[in-house]
Structure formats: C-alpha cells, structure tokens
Amino acid sequence: MELKQDNYSTHISQQFNDELEEIRTELLTMGGIVERQVHDAVEALLTGDAEMAERSRRVDKQTNDMEVMIDERCTTIIARRQPAASDLRLIVAISKAVNDLERMGDEASRICRHAIELVEDGDSQRGYQEVRHIGNLVRNMVKDVLTAFARNDAELAYHVAKQDKAVDLEYRTAMRSLMTYMMEDSRAISSCLNVIWVLRSLERIGDHARNMSEHLIYLVSGTDVRHLPLSEIKETAGISDSTED
Amino acid sequence: MELKQDNYSTHISQQFNDELEEIRTELLTMGGIVERQVHDAVEALLTGDAEMAERSRRVDKQTNDMEVMIDERCTTIIARRQPAASDLRLIVAISKAVNDLERMGDEASRICRHAIELVEDGDSQRGYQEVRHIGNLVRNMVKDVLTAFARNDAELAYHVAKQDKAVDLEYRTAMRSLMTYMMEDSRAISSCLNVIWVLRSLERIGDHARNMSEHLIYLVSGTDVRHLPLSEIKETAGISDSTED
C-alpha cells in the first residue's frame, strides 16, 4: 500500500513536472516567435521591404493567442496542483514573462507599421544607422534573456538588465540626432517622426527584456528585484564582485 | 468535534475572505494614488508648475513599492490558501491590474519630466489644448475603471474599454496638429516633441485603463477578453444589445 501510494505520488509529481516543463517550453517557443518578429521588423525597415513588414505585423495575432493560452494554462496548473514555493514562483515568473513577450510583439508590430509608412513616404534613410545599431543591441538582449530562461541562468539575466542601461544611453543620443535632422530640414519631419517612434519601440523592447530578466532572477533567487538598482540586482543574482561592470 | 471543525473552517474562510478584501482595498488605494498622480502631472504641465511636477514625479517610488508588496501578498495567499475558481481569478486579476497601475504611474512620471522640460524651454502652450482634452478623457477612464473594480461592475468596465477607442482617435488627430506646428515653425520642434511624448503617455495610460477593465471582466465573467474586439467584450460582459454603442 505504501509503495502504491509512493508510485502514485511519483506519478502525479512526474506529471506535474511535465506540465511545468511544458509551459516553460511554450514560453521559449513564444519567445522565438517574438525574437524573429523583432528581427524581421527591423530588417523590413532597413531594407524598405513593405511586404515583409506587412507579413511580420500579422504575427501579432499569433503571439496574442499564445499569451492567453499560456496564461490560462498557468491558472489551471495553480488551481489543480496547488503548487508551493519554487514551483509557484516558476508559474508566476512565466506568466509575467509571457506578458512582456506579448508587449514586445506589440512594439514589433508598431515598428512594422512605421516601416510601411516610411516606404510610402519615400524613406530618406535618416536615422537608419541609429535604428540598425540600437536594433542590434536590443535583439541581443531578447536572445540572451531567452537563453537565460532556457538555462535558468541568473548571471546572464543580470547582464541583460545591465545592457538596458547601454540601450537607454544610445537611445538618448539617437533622439538628439533625429531632432537635429528635423530642425535642419522641416520636410523630413514626418519621416523623422516615424524613425523616432521606431527607436522608442526598440527602447521599450529593451525595457521588456530587462523586465523578463528580473522575473528570471526572482524565479532563481526568490527575491523580487523589480525597481531595484543594478548593484542590488547583481548581488541578488549571486554574482561575485569581481565580475567586470 | 464536527461543530469545532465547522467553526474552524468558518474561521479560516473568514480570514481568507478578509485577506482577499484586503488586497482589493490595497489595489484601490494604489489606484487612488495613481489617479492623483495622473491628475497632478497634467495640471503641472498645463499650469507650468515645475515644482508640482517634481513632487508628483517622486510618487513613482511609492507606487513601485506598492506593486511589489501587493504582488508578494498575492503569491503568499495562493501558496497558503490554495484558492480555486473565482478566488484564484480575483487574485490573478488584481495582480495584473496592479502591474497596469504601476505602468500608469511610470507614464505619469514621464509626463512630469516633460512638463519640467517644457517649463525650462519656456513653454509655448502649443498643443496644450490637446493635452487638456485627452488628459480629461484619460483621467475619466482611470476613475471609472477603479470604480468598476470597487463595485465589480463589468458594464462600467466595458464602457472604459470602449472609451479607449475615442482616446486613440483624439490622439491621432492631436498628433497631426503637432506635426503641423513643427513644420510651420522649426524652433518649436523641441517643445512640440515634449508635448508629443506627453500625448503618447496619456494614450498609454488609456491603454492600461482598458487592460484593467479587461482584467475585471475576466474576474466577473471568467472569460479572458484580452485582444478581443469590443463587440465580443460587450457580449462577455453581459451587456444587452440595446445598450447604445
């Protein structure tokens, strides 16, 4: 009888583990789609490919559906499995991360919309170098935070959070350039504004990647590091002081 | 023995209910702070009151702390009480709503920052009428969605979601005006851009109010209405077809 009970518990617990692994896999799948969408949105803009922008924009529907589906699954697991401690943390972190991914997808769609407008305007390429540069930084953040989730790697997550500072700095510099372009040539105002919105969306995607990295650090360490300065996040993530900053 | 058990259950369940009511109250308290912050941010801008903007900007720290605190409380309740069905929905909806409130607070802080820059620039009042108008619409949305949460009123929540459409329309009209101002007078570009960011923040606050209304409809109806068209939200919220649209 006891053995049977044990087998039963193992069975239940194995099933539970499978369910947890499943939502983590779904998060990573959704992450891959969003990563691709961000990539395509930036490429479509830089190459003036309105068709690619239109295609990438439609992906939004898919990520919206995935958000609702994963969220529902999280709630069902909580209701049925009544998880405690670290299991509950995993579910909470995934639910929050999925929300950030969905918002990244929204921003990627916005980039596509502006890419299409820029093509229609006869794009002047003003500010494109800034978009390429910040786009690369942000895409790396998205890639890294997904890797961090796949590996439960708090140190990599911390580096993503740190990278967000660099993006914010580049963003402010780029905004100043765009403002100068507009002042120099008022006919460029409309297209410069489109580029400004794109830069803003990229900066927001960086913010969401940083949020995701904070959710992962919460998952690994049990400490909610949102709104904390980088130095405290570093400590929480268990990174030794010798790491270069 | 059975009676004792019953007393015990009632006691536990009463405590549980108290805990649920407590987080709902905390959500409403936080909502009141954010509502005030949005109000003050817009007023500070319109009256050119940099000191008020600076004061209101600092409120952000308080809403950040409240978000983390309420979120932690939600997780603790889930872990200890293992709630099912509607109780779990309440906790999930509150946790999501708190996240939206925090982001509204972020946007209000951004408005304050731009208000300060506008004062420093010697504000030209260009676009202020648009800010006043959209500010009023958005403030009403925030007020209404909090009332909806206080009363579990899905119908009022639906009207908030509907109102978001009106805000988006006004926002696009305002953006066109601002672009014209910039083209007419390139010296106004810097201050117009500040106003543009403010309008964008207001529009985002409206988005978050709409998100909150969707969380409430989920709480009341059990259906996740995110990303659904208004007509379906209306149906889910149980609003009869005779209601004017």
Side-chain angles (χ1 to χ4, degrees), chain A residues 64 67-68 71 75 78-79 82 88 92 95-96 99-100 102-103 107 110 171 175 179 182-183 186 189-190 193 196-197 200 204 208 211 218 224 226-227, chain B residues 64 67-68 71 75 78-79 82 88 92 95-96 99-100 102-103 107 110 171 175 179 182-183 186 189-190 193 196-197 200 204 208 211 218 224 226-227:
Chain A
N64 288 349
E67 181 196 20
V68 172
D71 238 7
T75 316
I78 292 177
Q82 310 184 328
L88 182 55
V92 170
S95 169
K96 285 183 192 294
N99 187 245
D100 279 304
E102 192 271 330
R103 290 178 197 232
E107 299 294 348
R110 286 196 182 100
Y171 168 74
M175 291 303 285
M179 210 142 83
M182 286 199 285
M183 285 174 182
S186 68
I189 286 179
S190 165
L193 264 183
I196 283 179
W197 293 129
R200 174 75 149 205
R204 284 294 172 95
H208 288 297
N211 291 348
Y218 162 72
D224 192 335
R226 287 177 296 178
H227 316 304
Chain B
N64 288 348
E67 181 196 20
V68 172
D71 239 6
T75 316
I78 292 177
Q82 310 181 329
L88 182 55
V92 169
S95 170
K96 284 183 191 294
N99 187 245
D100 279 304
E102 191 271 330
R103 289 176 199 233
E107 298 295 347
R110 286 197 181 99
Y171 168 73
M175 292 303 284
M179 210 142 82
M182 286 199 283
M183 285 175 183
S186 68
I189 286 178
S190 166
L193 264 182
I196 283 178
W197 292 130
R200 174 77 150 202
R204 285 293 174 98
H208 288 296
N211 291 348
Y218 163 72
D224 192 334
R226 288 178 295 178
H227 316 303

Side-chain angles (χ1 to χ4, degrees), chain A residues 147-241:
Chain A
T147 308
F149 259 92
R151 297 191 197 146
N152 256 342
D153 186 339
E155 187 162 336
L156 185 55
Y158 163 73
H159 284 285
V160 172
K162 208 173 72 178
Q163 194 63 15
D164 192 38
K165 285 255 176 213
V167 169
D168 288 351
L169 207 71
E170 296 287 342
Y171 168 74
R172 278 196 291 274
T173 309
M175 291 303 285
R176 277 194 296 273
S177 304
L178 266 297
M179 210 142 83
T180 309
Y181 298 147
M182 286 199 285
M183 285 174 182
E184 281 168 4
D185 180 5
S186 68
R187 288 162 308 170
I189 286 179
S190 165
S191 71
C192 280
L193 264 183
N194 271 313
V195 175
I196 283 179
W197 293 129
V198 168
L199 291 169
R200 174 75 149 205
S201 284
L202 286 173
E203 189 256 344
R204 284 294 172 95
I205 292 173
D207 285 346
H208 288 297
R210 183 195 161 123
N211 291 348
M212 283 182 70
S213 73
E214 291 173 351
H215 302 324
L216 183 70
I217 293 171
Y218 162 72
L219 165 60
V220 175
S221 70
T223 306
D224 192 335
V225 296
R226 287 177 296 178
H227 316 304
L228 291 185
L230 268 179
S231 57
E232 285 182 49
I233 296 180
K234 185 178 181 176
E235 208 174 300
T236 308
I239 296 167
S240 67
D241 270 328

Side-chain angles (χ1 to χ4, degrees), chain B residues 37 82 99 131-132 137 168 175:
Chain B
Q37 203 191 354
Q82 310 181 329
N99 187 245
V131 169
R132 185 189 307 277
L137 291 177
D168 288 351
M175 292 303 284

Side-chain angles (χ1 to χ4, degrees), chain B:
Chain B
M1 182 64 194
E2 217 179 287
L3 191 70
K4 206 172 163 192
Q5 181 65 36
D6 262 354
N7 274 343
Y8 182 69
S9 304
T10 316
H11 183 62
I12 287 289
S13 125
Q14 184 53 45
Q15 242 184 18
F16 182 25
N17 281 339
D18 289 350
E19 282 174 16
L20 292 179
E21 266 320 298
E22 220 170 283
I23 52 168
R24 189 205 287 265
T25 306
E26 275 160 1
L27 169 82
L28 294 175
T29 306
M30 182 178 174
I33 294 169
V34 170
E35 190 185 346
R36 177 92 229 160
Q37 203 191 354
V38 174
H39 173 274
D40 288 355
V42 174
E43 281 309 305
L45 185 145
L46 293 176
T47 59
D49 188 340
E51 214 173 283
M52 188 187 196
E54 197 50 74
R55 223 173 24 246
S56 168
R57 201 179 157 187
R58 281 197 298 267
V59 174
D60 199 38
K61 169 93 182 67
Q62 196 181 345
T63 50
N64 288 348
D65 289 349
M66 286 195 83
E67 181 196 20
V68 172
M69 184 269 285
I70 300 175
D71 239 6
E72 198 180 294
R73 203 163 284 199
C74 288
T75 316
T76 308
I77 295 179
I78 292 177
R80 279 176 42 202
R81 302 292 184 186
Q82 310 181 329
S86 70
D87 291 336
L88 182 55
R89 271 214 310 275
L90 174 66
I91 299 170
V92 169
I94 285 181
S95 170
K96 284 183 191 294
V98 160
N99 187 245
D100 279 304
L101 278 178
E102 191 271 330
R103 289 176 199 233
M104 285 182 190
D106 282 349
E107 298 295 347
S109 284
R110 286 197 181 99
I111 295 175
C112 292
R113 207 178 65 222
H114 293 296
I116 294 166
E117 282 180 20
L118 280 163
V119 170
E120 284 166 358
D121 274 12
D123 51 345
S124 68
Q125 309 269 332
R126 259 197 213 86
Y128 277 32
Q129 206 181 329
E130 286 85 349
V131 169
R132 185 189 307 277
H133 178 53
I134 296 180
N136 282 339
L137 291 177
V138 167
R139 272 147 63 177
N140 275 333
M141 286 176 73
V142 177
K143 183 169 65 63
D144 285 347
V145 79
L146 291 171
T147 307
F149 259 93
R151 297 190 198 148
N152 258 343
D153 185 340
E155 188 163 337
L156 184 56
Y158 164 73
H159 283 286
V160 171
K162 207 173 71 176
Q163 194 62 16
D164 192 37
K165 285 257 175 205
V167 168
D168 288 351
L169 208 70
E170 296 286 341
Y171 168 73
R172 280 197 291 274
T173 309
M175 292 303 284
R176 277 194 295 272
S177 304
L178 266 297
M179 210 142 82
T180 309
Y181 298 148
M182 286 199 283
M183 285 175 183
E184 282 168 4
D185 179 7
S186 68
R187 288 162 309 170
I189 286 178
S190 166
S191 71
C192 280
L193 264 182
N194 271 313
V195 175
I196 283 178
W197 292 130
V198 168
L199 290 171
R200 174 77 150 202
S201 284
L202 286 173
E203 188 257 343
R204 285 293 174 98
I205 292 173
D207 285 346
H208 288 296
R210 182 194 162 123
N211 291 348
M212 284 182 70
S213 73
E214 292 172 351
H215 302 324
L216 182 69
I217 293 171
Y218 163 72
L219 165 59
V220 174
S221 71
T223 306
D224 192 334
V225 296
R226 288 178 295 178
H227 316 303
L228 291 186
L230 269 180
S231 56
E232 286 183 48
I233 296 180
K234 186 179 182 177
E235 207 174 301
T236 308
I239 295 168
S240 66
D241 269 327
S242 61
T243 320
E244 53 87 38
D245 236 333

